[in-house]
Amino acid sequence: MSARTIVRKTDQLNPSREDIRLAASIIRSGGTVVFPTETVYGIGANAYDEKACSQIFRIKKRPPDNPLIVHVKDVEMASSLARMDSRTVEALKRSWPSPLTVVVNSLGNLPNVVTAGLDTVALRSPANPLALALISESGVPIAAPSANIATRPSIVLSSEAKEELMGRVDFIFDSGQTFFGIESTIIDVRGDVPVILRPGAIGPVEIRHIFGSVRFNHEPPVHEEQIPLAPGMKYRHYAPRKPLYLFEDPYAMITYCRNRRKDDFISLVSAEMAPMVPGEKIILGSEKNLYEIGRNLFHSLRVADRTEKEIILAHAVEERGIGLAIMNRLRKAAEGGTPPD
Ligand code: TXA
Ligand code: MG
């Protein structure tokens, strides 16, 4: 792992050519680069370079059976990695770049570490000028998982990227906050009807607009083996260090906080819930704009972790649009069960 990390303050909407050239030369020579996308920060390496991609797994402490998303410039670059039917090609031409990842049949020209030995590959073209410039300048597809260490909340701020990855990667783009704050939606487009493997920044309604139809892959209980679930979804994920308890019924959270004798909890709440919940809290945003809640979620989990409080509480939001992804992340991050008395 690299002891020295180059950090460059770069505007993600209008990135400096010089910084992009430097980062791209690091990608081409087998290094690792942390960069913003429109969803979360990623740790990227040349997708064709087995050693560089293995390095990502080591840095993240990621299990080897959890494949990486490969970031491409456009549909043409995607076609150099995957076999796609004309419906998929047309749909992607209309919708990329966007936070939409497709699982497609791989051409088999990527190292096994990237795809975890599967015969499919997950591809996306990120709607972020810096990320797209980096891919173009590198001239190769960039394999990049979310930049957090495995099991931790995803990284949406460059300050958090520096905190977590300084000295472990070769280059960090210090580019502030990402736009959505929630990862891309992953869909398997190999069958007749696209299947959502991981809800994300793009909702099912938009996907139906793009592909004409869509269905959910209802996650099986953890003990049940089922393919094709996004393999990463079986792991504990997105979790703060302190126990997080999720109230599926927001009103149960109000009662719990009012009755709790100790002042040892911090709550993540919507603006609407805030006046009713006693104790220390972080307001995520209004339930009328779930994008706002999504944007603040991962950062707030990290902020809550840094407080003196013992436990973190959160409540459900409506499962529509990006709310589906918010609830998916909260459920994975939570301990399960009810909080202690
Ligand atoms: O928004 C995003 O997607 C971010 C940014 C950096 O692009 N990336 C991201 O990567 O969330 P990661 O590694 O944290 O999550 C990738 C997910 C994992 O759950 C993995 O199992 C799944 O994608 N995945 C990768 N390849 C797959 C494949 N061939 N079939 C099914 N799932 C796959
Ligand atoms: Mg991740």
Side-chain angles (χ1 to χ4, degrees), residues 1-2 11 44 68 78 92 95 97-98 110 141 143 150 207 218 254 258 267 272 297 338:
M1 268 173 229
S2 55
D11 183 347
L68 307 182
L92 292 179
S95 57
S98 67
L110 288 168
I207 294 174
H218 286 290
I254 300 174
R258 288 189 179 159
S267 310
E272 287 78 4
L297 180 66
T338 47

Side-chain angles (χ1 to χ4, degrees), residues 35 37-43 60 62 65-69 71 99 101 103-104 114-115 118-122 124 126 144-148 154 182-186 190 197-198 228-233 237-238:
F35 64 98
T37 74
E38 78 281 37
T39 58
V40 300
Y41 274 82
I43 308 183
K60 264 184 76 87
R62 183 181 178 105
D65 67 348
N66 191 3
L68 307 182
I69 293 176
H71 296 66
T101 298
V103 170
V104 287
V114 173
T115 55
L118 299 173
D119 50 17
T120 56
V121 61
R124 94 175 186 97
S146 55
N148 56 289
S154 301
I182 295 267
E183 299 84 350
S184 64
T185 306
I186 304 180
R190 290 171 303 154
L197 305 182
R198 177 180 76 177
L229 188 70
M233 298 310 279
H237 215 137
Y238 317 114

Side-chain angles (χ1 to χ4, degrees), residues 30-252:
T32 48
V33 171
V34 173
F35 64 98
T37 74
E38 78 281 37
T39 58
V40 300
Y41 274 82
I43 308 183
N46 175 356
Y48 290 124
D49 186 331
E50 179 169 9
K51 247 179 82 190
C53 292
S54 306
Q55 183 76 339
I56 291 179
F57 281 81
R58 277 198 295 279
I59 294 167
K60 264 184 76 87
K61 305 189 174 72
R62 183 181 178 105
D65 67 348
N66 191 3
L68 307 182
I69 293 176
V70 178
H71 296 66
V72 293
K73 193 170 124 225
D74 49 24
V75 180
E76 198 189 327
M77 190 181 261
S79 305
S80 67
L81 300 170
R83 210 169 41 251
M84 296 180 289
D85 58 23
S86 56
R87 178 201 65 168
T88 302
V89 168
E90 288 314 310
L92 292 179
K93 275 187 183 157
R94 277 184 279 121
S95 57
W96 272 358
S98 67
L100 178 65
T101 298
V102 290
V103 170
V104 287
N105 289 311
S106 161
L107 289 178
N109 51 354
L110 288 168
N112 270 333
V113 293
V114 173
T115 55
L118 299 173
D119 50 17
T120 56
V121 61
L123 300 174
R124 94 175 186 97
S125 184
N128 177 291
L130 187 155
L132 285 175
L134 181 64
I135 301 166
S136 290
E137 185 69 28
S138 304
V140 290
I142 296 184
S146 55
N148 56 289
I149 304 292
T151 81
R152 300 273 298 136
S154 301
I155 290 177
V156 299
L157 289 177
S158 50
S159 56
E160 291 165 353
K162 287 188 283 182
E163 227 171 80
E164 194 140 308
L165 296 165
M166 197 64 116
R168 295 165 181 255
V169 295
D170 297 300
F171 188 105
I172 295 176
F173 278 104
D174 188 352
S175 302
Q177 186 171 9
T178 59
F179 186 77
F180 286 103
I182 295 267
E183 299 84 350
S184 64
T185 306
I186 304 180
I187 60 173
D188 183 343
V189 292
R190 290 171 303 154
D192 288 338
V193 178
V195 181
I196 299 181
L197 305 182
R198 177 180 76 177
I202 284 196
V205 173
E206 287 92 339
I207 294 174
R208 189 172 296 118
H209 272 303
I210 300 165
F211 288 89
S213 58
V214 71
R215 69 181 174 82
F216 282 92
N217 182 91
H218 286 290
E219 281 188 49
V222 243
H223 59 269
E224 210 178 298
E225 290 299 328
Q226 189 190 321
I227 292 172
L229 188 70
M233 298 310 279
K234 69 175 182 261
Y235 292 107
R236 182 169 158 83
H237 215 137
Y238 317 114
R241 295 206 169 86
K242 298 181 201 292
L244 167 73
Y245 294 98
L246 173 65
F247 287 87
E248 295 281 343
D249 172 6
Y251 294 99

